[in-house]
Amino acid sequence: MVWRVAGIWTKGAALTLAVAMTAGCGAQTGLELLLSNSESTTARIDGRRPHDAAREQGAGEAARNADNARPEDANLAAFQPKGDRAAEDADERAAAAVPPVKLEQPTGGTPHFSAKQGDKLIALTFDDGPDHRYTPEILEILKASSVKATFFLVGTQLKKYPDTVKQIAADGHGVGNHTYHHANLAKLNENEIKQEIKTTDALFQEAVGYVPRLVRAPYGSVSDVLQTVVRDNKRELVGWTVDTMDWNGATVAAMRVNVNKNARPGGIVLMHSFGSKHLRNTVKLLPLIINDLRAKGYTFVTVDELLAAKALNKKAAQAQGKKMG
């Protein structure tokens, strides 16, 4: 099965990491629902690069084509040239002969974080960087506003700009693995997925001295295989609840309305620090939504802190359930 992790919440999906952490509060967080309620989540492509988005118009396209195939199509295999079938068999044998890729265990990104009762938590996230143009400007705004955010970094960019990654970490922001090539992981097998993550892990280790546990799938494209890889390797797969559409040229005014309308406690806002020619608008938007959300009582946290608060919330709910039981 292939689906999209995206940021549209369906009817009844509560976004309640407000961490109104009263005893007995067993509601799921926005992040928890984002990760678990995939079947009822409306699909959206996180196609930050226009040419990539066109190429990635649906991780389930092949499956849909197969479902719609005519019965007579199966007979075409009998007329496939023997040479082609032999070549395919050879490719399959070669793939089977590739040694399995093993991921290292994450070594960073598990902070102890305790939210106050009634806190409304929200996480700002930036994809596809780093670079030497927009990422430094975003870091300056965050520092001036005393806001911590989370950067999901692409390996090819991380390799070019390790100094910027070091600055991100030095400023106290969270980081996550966004693959090496910005690959559509839903179209890759287990070994290929692991290689995309592993190569970027090594660059993180070299730049900041640890391997992050957060993983974000490019385009929000998620498969059963990817979920298994993430779970078995003690990683956290992270989506979003608000897509600013900054990669697609949305105006500052439109993005500001979008964020203010769709922000919820426990939410995750998607922006970019590289990967589009429109990111000047992101730089203009950032201080505006920081002010807007603060005025509404939100506390800005990293995704790791959001996860830690969720875990405490769940633990408190379980304890209350045992007490009442």
Side-chain angles (χ1 to χ4, degrees), residues 271-292:
M271 292 175 279
H272 295 79
S273 68
F274 180 74
S276 170
K277 64 182 179 181
H278 304 292
L279 299 188
R280 176 55 51 195
N281 284 352
T282 306
V283 175
K284 294 177 181 178
L285 171 72
L286 184 55
L288 299 178
I289 61 172
I290 288 174
N291 291 336
D292 290 345

Side-chain angles (χ1 to χ4, degrees), residues 30-284:
L31 179 60
E32 185 175 7
L33 284 168
L34 180 63
L35 300 181
S36 65
N37 195 22
S38 54
E39 289 297 341
S40 60
T41 303
T42 301
R44 178 182 294 174
I45 298 176
D46 177 20
R48 57 228 46 177
R49 302 182 182 89
H51 58 283
D52 283 346
R55 193 169 61 242
E56 305 297 344
Q57 286 181 1
E61 184 175 351
R64 289 194 298 273
N65 289 341
D67 289 340
N68 296 327
R70 298 166 296 178
E72 59 268 24
D73 289 344
N75 297 327
L76 295 178
F79 297 96
Q80 184 180 15
K82 292 183 179 180
D84 290 348
R85 281 197 300 220
E88 289 180 4
D89 290 342
D91 289 341
E92 290 178 4
R93 288 194 298 272
V98 175
V101 176
K102 182 178 180 181
L103 293 180
E104 300 295 329
Q105 294 300 303
T107 54
T110 53
H112 174 74
F113 180 79
S114 179
K116 298 177 182 178
Q117 184 175 350
D119 275 357
K120 296 163 62 177
L121 307 183
I122 197 163
L124 302 181
T125 67
F126 299 88
D127 281 12
D128 293 359
D131 71 345
H132 275 174
R133 184 178 182 184
Y134 298 116
T135 308
E137 292 185 59
I138 289 169
L139 289 174
E140 283 300 316
I141 294 170
L142 293 172
K143 180 180 288 187
S145 303
S146 298
V147 169
K148 303 304 180 189
T150 305
F151 291 77
F152 289 91
L153 306 178
V154 174
T156 53
Q157 291 298 111
L158 201 164
K159 188 175 182 179
K160 292 177 184 177
Y161 306 106
D163 56 326
T164 308
V165 182
K166 292 176 182 177
Q167 186 62 54
I168 290 171
D171 287 352
H173 302 295
V175 294
N177 193 315
H178 201 39
T179 77
Y180 185 76
H181 293 104
H182 199 268
N184 184 342
L185 298 181
K187 293 187 175 182
L188 303 185
N189 62 36
E190 179 180 343
N191 238 30
E192 291 167 335
I193 290 170
K194 287 181 178 179
Q195 191 62 60
E196 283 286 332
I197 296 173
K198 184 181 181 69
T199 306
T200 308
D201 280 350
L203 293 170
F204 273 116
Q205 182 67 52
E206 184 177 347
V208 298
Y210 62 87
V211 173
R213 66 168 177 154
L214 304 181
V215 175
R216 175 171 278 173
Y219 318 105
S221 295
V222 176
S223 66
D224 292 328
V225 175
L226 174 59
Q227 292 229 342
T228 299
V229 168
V230 169
R231 182 182 64 248
D232 290 351
N233 288 277
K234 295 182 173 57
R235 309 296 177 102
E236 293 282 353
L237 189 61
V238 181
W240 56 88
T241 62
V242 183
D243 184 353
T244 60
M245 304 294 286
D246 59 347
W247 56 271
N248 200 29
T251 66
V252 174
M255 290 190 288
R256 188 178 185 182
V257 170
N258 179 10
V259 173
N260 278 281
K261 180 180 178 180
N262 295 298
R264 298 289 186 276
I268 299 176
V269 181
L270 171 66
M271 292 175 279
H272 295 79
S273 68
F274 180 74
S276 170
K277 64 182 179 181
H278 304 292
L279 299 188
R280 176 55 51 195
N281 284 352
T282 306
V283 175
K284 294 177 181 178

